[in-house]
Amino acid sequence: MDIYTLSALELGHKIAGREISAPEATQAMLDRITATDQTVKAYLTVVPEQALAQAALIQQRLDNGEQLMPLAGVPMAIKDNISTKGLRTTCGSKMLWDYVPPYNATAADRLLAGGAVLLGKTNLDEFAMGNTTETSYGGITTNPWASDRVPGGSSGGSAAAVAAGEAVYALGSDTGGSIRQPASYCGVTGLKPTYGAVSRFGLVAYGSSLDQIGPLAKTAADCGAILAQIAGPDSKDSTAMPAGRNLDTTALLKSIEPGQSVKGLKIGIPAEYFGEGLQPEVRTAVEAAAAQLAELGATVEPCHLPLVEEGIATYYLIATAEASANLARYDGIQYGFRPTGQAYEDLADFYAQARTEGFGPEVRRRIMLGTFALSSGYYDAYYLKALKVRKLLQQGYREALSRFDLLIGPVAPTTAPKIGTTLSDPLQGYLADIYTVAANLTGLPGLSLPCGFDQIGLPIGVQLIGRAFDEATLVRTGVTYQEATGYHRQSPAL
Amino acid sequence: MSQTQHPDLGNLDQQGHLTLDPILVKKVARLARLSPNEQELDSLSHELGKILEHFQNIEALETDNVEPTYHPQDLLDSVRPDQVQPSYDQSVFMELTPKHKDGCLMVPRTFE
Amino acid sequence: MSYETVIGLEVHVELSTASKIFCSCETTFGGEPNTHCCPVCTGLPGALPVLNEQVVDYAIRTCLATHCAITPLTRFDRKNYFYPDLPKAYQISQLHKPIGRNGHLEIETAEGLKKIGIHEIHMEEDAGKLIHDPWEDCTLVDYNRCGVPLLEIVSEPDLRSAEEALIYLEKLRSILQFLGVSDCRMEQGSLRADVNVSVRPVGSQTFGTRTEMKNMNSFKAIGRAIVAEAKRQIDLIEDGKTIKQETRRWDENKDSSFAMRSKEDAMDYRYFPDPDLVAINITPDWIERVRSGLAELPESRRARYIADWQLSEYEAGVLTTHPAIANLFEETATLSGRPKDAASWMLGEFMQAAKEQECEPQDLHMPAQSLATLIARVAEGVVNRNTAKKIFTQILENKVDPDAYIEQNGLRMVSNPDALKDKIAEIIAANPQSIVDYKAGKTKAMGFLVGQVMRAMQGKADPQLLNELLKDALDRA
């Protein structure tokens, strides 16, 4: 048995039972990274010494009988837009290439406090803006299933690392599909939690009203266990505070126990999620997954959702408007990239030089779009309009979820495209987010599960969307499905 | 889509796609403190034009009586008590900044 | 043609909270540069703001005192602009849903009471401090002030002269100080005002083009800037020139203003609701809670001093210019049971000392208990008024306890007639000319001799007794 093939809960169980030691597990993962990451290039930073030292410390704490989380000692990776104290957090950008945060993100802190072993930081689209991981200043990550294919994005490094066995699990972030879509392309399980379930403190902001941190792992049960550790109120995030609604972690932990059932669950299958441009194999696999759930006892019924196509414009206007302000702080003054040895006319010129050189083309394009949407004379027609359509969309999903426990559909219209084929036409790239952005606009939780392969062997994912803060039902359904199927157990030949 | 529908944005190119007025693109770039060169300006005019043209699919939606949504959940009253916690060490900020002097960050001259 | 000046004021006050508006760093003025900072107030990647509840409380207080309508669901917006004192490149402020709107203040002008409209009050964060470094020809940045809570109080253009503007500002300052929401120290920048000025022919119903002036650091400078700007605008009109809408910077040394370099992109701030913060629901209960705890405002105190303690309008007015003065006065008056004497000390010695030391009244060391004791000792005849003044100075400068100081320095007044008579005889004997002068009707001689005796007795003589005995002695001489 290779350690890197184990799920997080399996490995955690073996570490807790002294079958495998934390340093042994960490060394095995580091060896795997050495063997395969030259091809996959999932990591921007790997910290072998720190990881081994951490593993030794956790082993000692376990040996002392300390009560740690079920995943204590399990080696994992963190997307490089989640702040890690003393460890550079680049956001895949030249702008922050040497930026070392002086503090930990709350989600990272909670995992580390629970006994997680951090292997390194994973690649992403620059500032999480993209769905292929091709816009990173740190280079392209490849899909472990086919090295000429993208891993998806923006959490492409996290998804590829889990698929390649280079991390047992990883944290990602999802603003418009950035956990679910790469999970689908790489054949792993990814969960975008309800907005406000996990603190965003320390997550480098892209679209603040859409961003959520969540897990990518081999199984739905792993995702549930990781989420239980990172979720919960945080006094440092106004949108995840005790005053608001919070996740029921007891119910969530119950949902990962074996022997779950989906009997009696009502699942809606929206016709609009199977429109033009959907790859036939994706359609077939997703429909088969729905049929499988029906066979397991759920009721699956067709339904309708409004504004699925309009969601893209709504999402991009809101996300880029927020991003244009969130990324304004990167100006070469306080930290990060500052051009040297160049003359500048005035302060405005200094800023423009630092920002034009420090950001890549896709980030600059989105800043332009967002600045436009907020600018005088266009605010009402673009930004404000999008905020209103967002309300209509929310009403539509709320209405559907008053009749159904879950909605089911594809994650992405296609399987992973070839490297270098998407960036030439930005709009076409944006349109590929059609099935994922709604969960962010509505704040609802979404789970991406492996559900098959296309003709050339690329993984296909199915998406489940649940009610706000009802991750327990999502995870329970995922666990039940994965007990009945084997897609998530497949791994790429590397 | 006809040209007259969006006189404030730009013109149609040969393929019939919206191309943003370069003056507008320049204005937005200046607001965002970006300085695209001529070639980038040109491609931004086309790309942003095409994107905004597609985004006009939300224009027709009836939203007159719809309240804008600011958050996925209708959150209220996230506040903290007025209590002082220790600040970070000055050295933390000095280590982050490319240039500093006497405990301050050094930046291009701002005084006229 | 005669012109009318139209003035509107945008007043920024730093609130006296312990911690900053969106993080837990301290708000204390000064300190080594960049030592009151954390990832939130310096805008490090990933940091998030969480609102200080006390800021809302203080804002509600201010809205109540200025009769503003309070917005039930108030929220914050981002105001986007690039400048090195703003580390996030946006200021968290309020545009769409400010906490208060449509209020007013009543001011007393030469022509009587006048209502000045308050357009709105909003909460926001302060920016950092920039220091010019001439040696390196660069700017140095200190973020300590970043995130200190501010209220911006925007008046309607209802003021018609520099005098009215100053009366309004003084009134507003005293209200804010009495509410306990700000110490309003202009020299520390905790009260700042931008002034909008325009002129128009008397009788005109439309406003002229206005300019905005910044950088005035005292009320005096604001008054002078208004007068100078109105004159500049009138001169332009008279010369047939037009006034440009612009921001001008006041130069105190040159006693004139100059246009600030205009930004080409004419300030498109791209305000939008800050997604990192949530709406604040200001319930009627919350407002009532604040209202019931509201401090008594100067007007009500003034009326009370006149009615209960028989002070004059003038005395009551001066005593209510600052809460530290009013509080010290009230406490002293109550402790000593002698409000008239307490007022006299406050208006005389106390105000004099504050003026001489050029400090805010709360910075003077004068415990009410000490001042009350001093007043009591004078009333009891233990010390005379002159000695008491010296003790007052000792309390201020050396924080002495008045009773202990009187005993240690043997300052008790001499009221023993025999001791006085001996000293008087001595002095009369030494100054024969004075007796001649006195007899010749020169009353000044009497004063001279009192002074001599008092000096010989180190000021401790009971002045009334001394007068009686001296007169007696002279008449008999």
Side-chain angles (χ1 to χ4, degrees), chain B residues 14-88:
Chain B
Q14 283 158 340
Q15 281 83 47
H17 286 302
L18 177 66
T19 306
L20 283 199
D21 183 346
I23 294 170
L24 176 60
V25 179
K26 268 189 194 164
K27 192 194 110 188
V28 173
R30 201 162 48 234
L31 275 177
R33 295 291 183 274
L34 292 170
S35 49
N37 60 32
E38 285 305 314
Q39 194 199 327
E40 286 166 327
L41 262 179
D42 187 58
S43 47
L44 279 168
S45 292
H46 284 91
E47 290 159 358
L48 294 177
K50 210 170 147 188
I51 291 165
L52 290 173
E53 183 181 82
H54 181 85
F55 286 4
Q56 270 141 23
N57 66 4
I58 63 170
E59 214 166 89
L61 298 174
E62 173 55 50
T63 53
D64 284 355
N65 297 314
V66 180
E67 276 294 301
T69 301
Y70 302 105
H71 272 111
Q73 275 86 38
D74 295 323
L75 292 166
L76 283 178
D77 296 345
S78 293
V79 289
R80 59 174 185 84
D82 183 23
Q83 278 160 9
V84 174
Q85 306 266 342
S87 292
Y88 278 51

Side-chain angles (χ1 to χ4, degrees), chain A residues 281-372:
Chain A
E281 295 143 299
V282 175
R283 170 192 283 270
T284 311
V286 171
E287 283 170 351
Q292 177 80 60
L293 287 170
E295 199 172 301
L296 289 166
T299 316
V300 181
E301 279 173 23
C303 70
H304 288 282
L305 280 176
L307 306 170
V308 171
E309 270 183 53
E310 290 83 351
I312 296 170
T314 311
Y315 165 77
Y316 273 96
L317 288 169
I318 293 171
T320 60
E322 292 178 1
S324 74
N326 285 332
L327 272 68
R329 70 191 67 192
Y330 309 114
D331 58 12
I333 294 244
Q334 195 188 349
Y335 45 80
F337 173 74
R338 183 186 282 200
T340 48
Q342 275 164 298
Y344 46 85
E345 281 171 33
D346 56 12
L347 196 62
D349 186 37
F350 171 90
Y351 286 136
Q353 278 187 27
R355 291 166 58 77
T356 305
E357 276 186 57
F359 292 134
E362 180 57 26
V363 170
R364 294 203 302 268
R365 186 154 42 232
R366 293 199 192 190
I367 290 174
M368 289 287 293
L369 184 57
T371 304
F372 165 80

Side-chain angles (χ1 to χ4, degrees), chain C residues 59 71 75 170 192 325 398 429:
Chain C
T71 310
R75 48 171 81 245
E170 268 158 22
R192 312 191 283 269
I325 297 171
N398 300 317

Side-chain angles (χ1 to χ4, degrees), chain C residues 59-79:
Chain C
I60 297 173
R61 279 191 208 178
T62 309
C63 288
L64 290 174
T66 55
H67 316 284
C68 280
I70 294 173
T71 310
L73 276 179
T74 186
R75 48 171 81 245
F76 288 90
D77 297 289
R78 293 182 181 179
K79 177 183 183 181

Side-chain angles (χ1 to χ4, degrees), chain C residues 413-422 457 460-462 465 469:
Chain C
M413 196 150 69
V414 177
S415 312
N416 174 354
D418 292 340
L420 275 175
K421 277 180 191 164
D422 289 354
M457 300 194 66
K460 291 184 289 185
D462 179 334
L465 187 61
L469 293 174

Side-chain angles (χ1 to χ4, degrees), chain C residues 223-243:
Chain C
R224 281 146 64 121
I226 292 171
V227 171
E229 179 58 14
K231 181 174 184 309
R232 191 188 69 86
Q233 292 186 9
I234 292 168
D235 287 350
L236 279 174
I237 295 171
E238 300 273 293
D239 288 352
K241 292 175 183 155
T242 51
I243 294 153

